[in-house]
Structures are given as C-alpha cells and as structure tokens.
Amino acid sequence: MIEPTQQHHERETSIVTPEHVLLRFQTAGMGSRAAAMMIDFAILFLVNLTVFIVFGLVIFGKDSEFFLETENMALAIVILVVFVLNFGYFLLQEAFWSGQTIGKRLMGLRVMRDNGQPITFLGATIRNVFRIVDGLPMGYFIGALISFFHPQDKRLGDLVAGTIVVVESGRTARPSRKKATQPPLQKHDYPQVLELDEHQKQLITREDWQLLSSFIERMSSLSPDKRKELGTQVASLLAKKLGVQDEPLVMNDPIVFLQFLHRILQKEWKLGSS
C-alpha cells in the first residue's frame, strides 16, 4: 500500500509493510535514475565491445567481410549473445542483487515491490521486458515522460511489475536532501547493554534491517508520540523474532532497545550489501 507525498519538490512515498508498519522512502527521480543508467550503459558498452572483439578475433579471425554476411549463422550467434548479455545484465542483477545494478548501487538506489518487500525474479523480469517499451522511440522518451508525471516517479515497467525505485536508507541521490540526525546514544545513558549471539543475528533478515534502519534514520523527525508509537511496534516485532521480548530493556525503553540493536547490527548489515 502506497501513499505519495511531496515536500520541497522531493517526492516521497509511504509504504505499509505486511507487518503493518509505516515506512517513508524518497523516490528516485529522473536525474538519479538517468545517472545510474548511464553507468550501467557504459559498462554494457565495454562488455558488448569485448564480445565483438572476441568473436571477431578468436572465432572469425581477421575476415572483416564476415560482418557483412548477414545470413551467416555465426552472426546470429553474436546478436543472440549480445541480447542475452544486455537483457540479463539488468534482470539478473535486480533479481539476485536485492533490486540493484552496479549503477543503482553507486547512486544509492534500489528497486523494491510496492509493499516494501524485495523484488522477485518475476517482477524483475516484467519490469525489464517493458524496458524495451520505455526506451521507445529513443533515449527512454516514453519511460522518462511517464516517470515525470507519475507521483512515485514510476516508469511503465514499474507500473506493470508493481515495483518502485527508492533512495536507500542513509543515502541521498539529491544534493538538497537533508539527512535527519540521530540523537547520540551513550552507554552510560542506560545501565543495560544488549547482547546477541550469532544465531540471533542470523535471524535478522534484510527486510528486518531495512525496517530498523529506516526507523532509526527518521526517528528524530517524528513527533514524540509518533516516535513512541512506531518505535514500540518495531521493537515488539524484532524483539519477538530475537526471543528477547521479556528483556527489561525492551519493555522499559523500546527506543533505546532499537538504538542498541541498530549499533550491534550495523557492522554486519549494510543496506545495499550483497
């Protein structure tokens, strides 16, 4: 479930997760997405050039007239390989690299489903099939036009696949974006220290980390009542998964529990790591 908002010419979206927790994300605009695409296309250009050189030198020798023989079966193989590489580049990376390509990772962007969950292989396939339509007639004109007018910066492929491209938590793709500061937490502020064993750490999924890091980042921008309400929900969810719901720290101060948990996990989890 998504609700668009717009503040200071920046588009944001509110996502209600299956756990009924409200998260806010900054959607990726045309500028950041275009920059990511230019990086990906530069990589693909080098890959395609390498393929043609390898096929030309290793398989076909120095016979430059080969590429003029359009009926030659080998030319069809070259075209097929190039198509698979170009289509698979986006599909496989987004499907198995948590919604990112190299360009998106460098720009701090990520593709996810409309409900805040990671993109599936089917979703990645659909949005990349429609990349062909978005690219018509040239220069991604249709995709850019739809994205410009859509409240969540979606292109046609995103609309059909039910996906959205967002700026990662803790990252910004726009220079004017002001990052909310997290109030410093000192150990002496609370007498209890949270400790987790390796098994408990492994129970935390990417979705859990995204939920936790998103709350910590936006915590200082929330009103005290909203911070307490949302923090209690997130703490209850994560504490139950970790089996520490009866710990005094969780029951007495769920916000501090989440801060401690975030600091414990951030060394092992980094949103955007593979």
Side-chain angles (χ1 to χ4, degrees):
M1 178 179 177
I2 297 181
E3 296 179 15
T5 61
Q6 189 166 350
Q7 299 178 346
H8 307 294
H9 305 289
E10 294 181 354
R11 291 174 176 175
E12 293 188 348
T13 186
S14 299
I15 297 178
V16 180
T17 70
E19 294 82 12
H20 304 290
V21 176
L22 180 68
L23 297 177
R24 291 186 182 276
F25 294 97
Q26 178 186 344
T27 59
M30 286 194 297
S32 56
R33 293 177 72 164
M37 187 174 296
M38 289 178 63
I39 295 173
D40 289 325
F41 280 172
I43 295 173
L44 282 173
F45 173 77
L46 295 177
V47 172
N48 292 333
L49 182 62
T50 301
V51 169
F52 276 102
I53 292 176
V54 169
F55 269 81
L57 296 180
V58 176
I59 298 180
F60 310 118
K62 299 181 180 180
D63 185 5
S64 59
E65 294 183 356
F66 165 78
F67 293 100
L68 300 178
E69 301 174 3
T70 56
E71 296 180 358
N72 195 307
M73 180 63 68
L75 180 58
I77 296 176
V78 174
I79 296 175
L80 178 62
V81 169
V82 170
F83 172 78
V84 171
L85 285 175
N86 284 263
F87 182 75
Y89 175 89
F90 292 99
L91 168 61
L92 296 179
Q93 285 192 83
E94 290 182 356
F96 298 108
W97 211 18
S98 302
Q100 291 185 308
T101 60
I102 295 175
K104 286 186 177 68
R105 173 162 293 194
L106 292 177
M107 292 302 300
L109 309 181
R110 181 184 300 281
V111 184
M112 62 173 61
R113 286 187 286 170
D114 285 341
N115 62 358
Q117 298 298 307
I119 187 173
T120 62
F121 184 83
L122 178 60
T125 301
I126 294 175
R127 80 183 302 271
N128 281 289
V129 166
F130 276 85
R131 185 182 296 275
I132 300 174
V133 180
D134 281 314
L136 297 175
M138 62 179 298
Y140 273 79
F141 176 78
I142 292 180
L145 186 64
I146 296 176
S147 177
F148 179 79
F149 288 104
H150 195 276
Q152 287 95 39
D153 295 295
K154 289 190 175 191
R155 63 176 177 84
L156 181 61
D158 292 313
L159 292 172
V160 178
T163 57
I164 185 171
V165 183
V166 301
V167 178
E168 285 188 287
S169 176
R171 298 283 296 275
T172 178
R174 297 172 183 153
S176 61
R177 179 74 172 173
K178 292 184 179 180
K179 183 178 178 181
T181 57
Q182 176 186 345
L185 174 65
Q186 303 296 333
K187 288 187 177 181
H188 59 72
D189 289 340
Y190 207 90
Q192 296 167 297
V193 178
L194 180 67
E195 294 184 359
L196 300 178
D197 58 32
E198 289 303 317
H199 173 69
Q200 288 175 308
K201 292 178 182 180
Q202 292 176 5
L203 294 176
I204 299 296
T205 63
R206 179 173 295 278
E207 293 77 19
D208 296 329
W209 169 250
Q210 184 176 4
L211 175 62
L212 173 62
S213 59
S214 296
F215 171 77
I216 293 297
E217 165 134 4
R218 292 159 177 79
M219 182 175 63
S220 61
S221 64
L222 300 174
S223 65
D225 291 339
K226 190 64 178 178
R227 183 189 311 146
K228 182 178 180 181
E229 177 187 355
L230 184 57
T232 300
Q233 294 180 41
V234 177
S236 176
L237 176 68
L238 297 180
K240 184 177 180 180
K241 172 168 285 192
L242 294 171
V244 296
Q245 63 269 31
D246 296 328
E247 290 290 329
L249 177 60
V250 179
M251 296 187 293
N252 296 335
D253 200 332
I255 303 297
V256 175
F257 161 71
L258 292 176
Q259 289 180 296
F260 273 126
L261 182 61
H262 182 265
R263 296 202 173 187
I264 290 174
L265 296 176
Q266 67 181 349
K267 294 181 180 180
E268 302 185 16
W269 273 100
K270 183 179 180 181
L271 193 60
S273 62
S274 58

